[in-house]
């Protein structure tokens, strides 16, 4: 009988969290508080459109008003800053999310810093990032994908203390903040990136391997340790003539071939994606409680 890895079901963990959050949203309604999340899309990047549609569906599911603001790709940095300022001052808005990436002529860091950190449900503002780096107790509005990964590991009782964790990818959205959150939980963390020498050396010794690269099936069987736990953060579109949409989504790992060697893995879709969205909902509820001093 051939061995097959356990599938870490992100959708299941996400649905559990969403049901709990819908109770919070109901409670807040009894306090005359209707939650609202404003999502800004600049331009029409197809991946961004798809991510936003998932975020809005989750809002609808748990009773948060989803307010999508579409701005043309030609929007100037000042126009976007003005819009953010308006939302910062709008008392009916509890969360503000600017979908990334932004067009090249707009400075992302400047935009993120302009968002009121109390409404920064992405957890990207330097104030929230700084707090997260201090220690676990200071984590508050922390980035959604790392937060979702930690919750999946917790749900499946995967211990982090003293574990060798290798993250491939150093983005501000996943790799960097996740490294801090894992250190806060006493893992030994290695962060690899496109300039890393001998990547395989680092991936093959990981008890837990996190792939956040953005390249389809990049992590192959020879790169992983036997019985490792693999978290696949990748969402890559590859051509698929059998699919209605003409593409299908695959992760950053060679999923099918890894299954006989490793002990557990998150699927794509159905792993980190739904958890990112659920954690965004959690941050929105949290932001509202904190803005209203209800916690
Ligand atoms: N682009 C890719 N992931 C994210 C995310 O989590 N938040 C935002 N705002 N943009 C993204």
């Amino acid at each position: 009988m051939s061995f097959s890895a356990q599938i870490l079901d992100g959708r299941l963990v996400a649905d559990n969290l969403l049901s709990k959050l819908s109770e919070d949203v109901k409670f807040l309604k009894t306090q005359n508080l209707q939650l609202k999340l404003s999502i800004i899309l600049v331009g029409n990047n197809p991946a961004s459109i798809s991510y936003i549609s998932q975020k809005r569906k989750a809002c609808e599911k748990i009773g948060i008003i989803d307010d999508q603001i579409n701005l043309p790709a030609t929007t100037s940095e000042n126009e976007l800053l003005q819009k953010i300022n308006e939302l910062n001052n709008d008392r009916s808005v509890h969360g503000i999310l600017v979908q990334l990436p932004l067009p090249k002529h707009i400075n992302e860091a400047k935009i993120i810093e302009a968002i009121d950190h109390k409404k920064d449900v992405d957890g990207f503002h330097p104030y929230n990032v700084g707090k997260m780096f201090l220690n676990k107790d200071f984590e508050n509005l922390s980035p959604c994908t790392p937060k979702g990964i930690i919750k999946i590991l917790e749900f499946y009782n995967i211990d982090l203390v003293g574990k060798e964790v290798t993250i491939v990818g150093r983005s501000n959205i996943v790799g960097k903040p996740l490294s801090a959150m894992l250190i806060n939980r006493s893992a030994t963390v290695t962060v690899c990136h496109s300039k890393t020498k001998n990547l395989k050396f680092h991936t093959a010794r990981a008890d837990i391997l996190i792939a956040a690269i953005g390249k389809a099936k990049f992590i192959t069987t020879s790169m992983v340790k036997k019985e490792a736990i693999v978290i696949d953060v990748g969402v890559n579109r590859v051509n698929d003539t059998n699919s209605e949409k003409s593409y299908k989504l695959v992760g950053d790992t060679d999923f099918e071939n890894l299954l006989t060697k490793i002990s557990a893995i998150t699927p794509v879709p159905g792993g980190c994606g739904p958890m990112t969205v659920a954690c965004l909902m959690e941050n929105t509820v949290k932001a509202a409680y904190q803005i209203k001093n209800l916690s």
Side-chain angles (χ1 to χ4, degrees), residues 166 190 192 196-206 222-223:
T166 298
T190 304
C192 301
T196 296
K197 290 177 183 156
N198 200 353
L199 178 65
K200 189 173 161 181
F201 166 78
H202 298 288
T203 58
R205 65 187 175 81
S222 68
M223 295 170 80

Side-chain angles (χ1 to χ4, degrees), residues 100-115:
L100 303 177
L102 288 168
K104 293 269 177 291
H105 66 276
I106 298 178
N107 181 335
E108 260 177 27
K110 202 166 163 183
I111 296 304
I112 289 167
E113 207 169 358
I115 297 171

Side-chain angles (χ1 to χ4, degrees), residues 40 48 51 55 97-101 122 124 143-145 173-174 276 280:
I40 303 179
S48 292
Y51 290 142
K55 292 168 188 180
L97 181 153
V98 178
Q99 188 66 31
L100 303 177
D122 258 328
F124 294 164
C144 304
T145 303
I173 296 180
V174 186
T276 296
L280 173 68

Side-chain angles (χ1 to χ4, degrees), residues 100-154:
L100 303 177
L102 288 168
K104 293 269 177 291
H105 66 276
I106 298 178
N107 181 335
E108 260 177 27
K110 202 166 163 183
I111 296 304
I112 289 167
E113 207 169 358
I115 297 171
D116 180 347
H117 67 78
K118 292 197 184 78
K119 298 186 180 184
D120 168 39
V121 287
D122 258 328
F124 294 164
H125 189 284
Y127 176 85
N128 290 319
V129 174
K131 283 187 72 169
M132 179 204 63
F133 263 83
L134 294 177
N135 66 46
K136 195 175 151 194
D137 298 336
F138 276 96
E139 288 173 13
N140 182 26
L141 296 178
S142 46
C144 304
T145 303
K147 198 175 184 180
I149 292 170
I150 301 276
K151 281 186 193 288
I152 292 178
L153 296 171
E154 281 173 357

Side-chain angles (χ1 to χ4, degrees), residues 85-106:
N85 193 38
E86 210 179 281
L87 297 171
N88 283 343
N89 294 319
D90 184 339
R91 290 164 66 91
S92 74
V93 172
H94 307 93
I96 303 170
L97 181 153
V98 178
Q99 188 66 31
L100 303 177
L102 288 168
K104 293 269 177 291
H105 66 276
I106 298 178

Side-chain angles (χ1 to χ4, degrees), residues 21-81:
L21 291 170
S22 74
E23 294 303 314
D24 286 318
V25 175
K26 263 190 217 145
F27 165 74
L28 290 171
K29 279 184 187 159
T30 68
Q31 308 295 303
N32 289 324
L33 184 58
Q34 169 59 61
L35 267 58
K36 180 152 118 186
L37 170 63
S38 290
I39 302 177
I40 303 179
L41 171 66
V42 186
N44 53 10
N45 178 319
S48 292
I49 291 170
S50 158
Y51 290 142
I52 289 178
S53 125
Q54 288 161 29
K55 292 168 188 180
R56 294 187 69 186
K57 273 188 199 142
C59 283
E60 277 165 37
K61 192 167 176 180
I62 67 166
I64 296 177
I65 295 176
D66 52 310
D67 162 40
Q68 182 172 345
I69 299 153
N70 292 319
L71 300 174
T74 51
T75 303
S76 71
E77 191 174 279
N78 269 338
E79 284 167 330
L80 182 53
L81 287 169

